[in-house]
Amino acid sequence: MAASKKFALPPNSTSAIDWQTTAQIIGDELSSTAPQREAETRRPITEIQRLREASLLTLTIPAEHGGGGLNWQSALRIVREIARGDGSVGALFGYHLLDLAIPFLSGTAEQRERFECDSARHRWFWGGVINPLDVALVAEPDGNGFILNGRKTFCTGAALANRIIVNAELAGSDAPAYFIVPADRKGISPGNDWNNLGFRLTESGSVTFTDVHASVDELLGVDGRPPDPVRSSLAVPMIQMMFTNLYLGSALGALKASRAYTLTAARPWLLSGLTEASEDPYAVEQYGELWIKLSAAIALAEQAATSLQSTIDQIDFITSRARGQASVNVAAAKVFAARTALEITSGIFELMGARATATHYAFDRFWRDVRTHTLHDPISYKAREVGDLFLNDRVPEPTFYT
């Protein structure tokens, strides 16, 4: 994919960028190439470079540290737009933004500034070795630092990253610790073993650490503990809100692809008496129903994002109750977005007809991406969190998933 000179901006020259327009243009580019790239299982190296040239990799870094200064709610809209074009690239971008936020949430003030300034200067792409369900990665103190050994699965973007966030069990501590290390450090070995139904180009395979050295200043927080555990736990509703927008982006992409196909390639049913498939009243009504549901899901997601952003804006004064309320609002949006996206990405085939199942169209990629990721954690448990607040006025205790 050729880079557009319009977005080939030098570092720190982001003030004139229309982020939404930039994302729409890149989303359109991704949409046009996604079927072929996925068919060839092409690594998304060019696509990440496209995001870098468009200054999107730095858009959430504060302006005073060389970034775009966008808040989380605004950044989520960009994730949604990129996911509309390609769910895999949208996921890579969304996880990058979340990984980049970890120093802000769990690091000291000095660490936040250092990593944000360095990331803006070098336009790093971030990946994560975080999966909390894998506890087999251990950090042992070793003189002037730590030695990391173990393996984690579902490490989105780590094999392509410049910097990776590593979640490890710290020997002698009852809490997991975050390290930030160069992805090319000796002893770090991506498994390149991601072969799942959806998100096929996210490089989400395993990563193994064999005697990897990490220095003391690469450990976030004070002695591996975040300055404020409530603050650091905001990473969970932030990533859940990002997931929500991945689903909405995929649903948008599916519905727009279906619309284009119906207008240009679909045939009217022989019993309809019509010459254009787009005039079939059943199809028109169903498109209306799906658009209504998607519009409602986006509106609920925006409402939840507003609540979350308000909590982030007050992060230095955050309470467990405020954090829990924002988390439940996000859970409600995620449940509705997941169900809506699954319905839309599957339902478009009934509107397009049998010929649309031809593999060269790759319309199934939208459903495969949503179906794969909505299993990340059960949405029934998210609905239970919403019900518990409504019925019992009880917010969830912070975990890696609530």
Side-chain angles (χ1 to χ4, degrees):
M1 186 190 305
S4 168
K5 292 183 179 180
K6 179 178 180 181
F7 301 123
L9 301 173
N12 306 334
S13 298
T14 58
S15 59
I17 294 179
D18 180 340
W19 298 112
Q20 197 65 36
T21 299
T22 299
Q24 289 171 356
I25 292 170
I26 294 178
D28 289 343
E29 293 174 357
L30 293 170
S31 179
S32 68
T33 62
Q36 182 176 357
R37 287 186 290 104
E38 188 177 88
E40 297 173 357
T41 320
R42 195 185 306 170
R43 301 188 76 197
I45 296 171
T46 300
E47 289 64 44
I48 290 174
Q49 181 61 21
R50 185 73 170 106
L51 299 178
R52 179 177 285 112
E53 291 168 348
S55 294
L56 290 178
L57 296 185
T58 60
L59 90 168
T60 56
I61 296 173
E64 60 268 27
H65 293 164
L70 238 61
N71 66 20
W72 191 247
Q73 182 172 14
S74 300
L76 290 170
R77 299 187 186 113
I78 307 303
V79 171
R80 188 193 312 162
E81 197 63 41
I82 300 300
R84 172 187 64 81
D86 184 337
S88 288
V89 178
L92 285 164
F93 179 54
Y95 276 95
H96 158 80
L97 294 180
L98 191 281
D99 295 333
L100 182 55
I102 297 298
F104 168 73
L105 296 170
S106 295
T108 64
E110 182 278 329
Q111 288 172 332
R112 295 169 209 160
E113 180 175 354
R114 172 161 55 92
F115 285 115
E116 287 173 349
C117 288
D118 285 349
S119 192
R121 184 179 304 112
H122 301 292
R123 295 190 293 176
W124 285 336
F125 174 70
W126 291 59
V129 181
I130 294 177
N131 190 350
L133 297 182
D134 283 344
V135 295
L137 183 55
V138 177
E140 294 276 355
D142 180 59
N144 62 342
F146 304 86
I147 299 297
L148 280 61
N149 279 287
R151 178 178 179 271
K152 280 187 181 284
T153 56
F154 197 67
C155 303
T156 299
L160 299 167
N162 305 112
R163 287 296 182 276
I164 54 176
I165 294 279
V166 183
N167 175 240
E169 294 293 321
L170 190 58
S173 173
D174 58 356
Y178 286 112
F179 293 86
I180 297 177
V181 298
D184 60 357
R185 180 159 291 172
K186 182 180 179 181
I188 299 176
S189 304
N192 298 315
D193 49 4
W194 179 252
N195 186 25
N196 287 46
L197 181 69
F199 282 134
R200 292 181 176 177
L201 304 184
T202 58
E203 302 277 340
S204 291
S206 67
V207 175
T208 300
F209 285 67
T210 305
D211 295 331
V212 176
H213 178 264
S215 62
V216 172
D217 63 357
E218 291 173 330
L219 174 63
L220 288 182
V222 180
D223 296 326
R225 294 181 180 275
D228 183 346
V230 178
R231 174 190 180 117
S232 67
S233 73
L234 263 184
V236 179
M238 288 175 68
I239 196 171
Q240 293 284 326
M241 197 73 249
M242 185 269 285
F243 294 164
T244 300
N245 281 276
L246 285 182
Y247 308 155
L248 294 175
S250 291
L252 272 169
L255 203 53
K256 290 189 175 185
S258 177
R259 177 183 182 272
Y261 182 89
T262 299
L263 290 173
T264 60
R267 297 173 179 174
W269 182 238
L270 62 90
L271 299 179
S272 69
L274 299 169
T275 58
E276 299 290 338
S278 60
E279 296 300 327
D280 189 303
Y282 299 108
V284 172
E285 183 270 343
Q286 188 59 21
Y287 271 114
E289 292 287 349
L290 294 180
W291 183 250
I292 289 167
K293 291 178 180 179
L294 181 54
S295 298
I298 292 172
L300 184 59
E302 286 290 337
Q303 180 179 309
T306 298
S307 169
L308 178 58
Q309 186 61 54
S310 177
T311 305
I312 295 171
D313 291 342
Q314 299 294 317
I315 196 165
D316 291 332
F317 311 98
I318 189 173
T319 65
S320 295
R321 176 73 186 190
R323 185 262 182 213
Q325 178 69 65
S327 181
V328 170
N329 292 340
V330 171
K334 183 187 178 185
V335 169
F336 192 46
R339 290 173 176 166
T340 301
L342 286 169
E343 179 180 356
I344 289 173
T345 55
S346 173
I348 58 172
F349 290 97
E350 296 180 17
L351 296 167
M352 295 186 293
R355 290 189 306 141
T357 63
T359 56
H360 67 268
Y361 290 120
F363 292 137
D364 61 313
R365 66 187 175 91
F366 300 107
W367 176 83
R368 287 188 286 100
D369 287 347
V370 173
R371 179 66 284 174
T372 297
H373 204 282
T374 50
L375 300 174
H376 181 274
D377 51 317
I379 61 173
S380 56
Y381 279 79
K382 291 296 173 192
R384 188 180 71 169
E385 293 170 26
V386 178
D388 205 18
L389 178 60
F390 175 77
L391 184 62
N392 300 313
D393 194 35
R394 187 163 52 217
V395 297
E397 291 294 323
T399 72
F400 278 111
Y401 290 95
T402 58

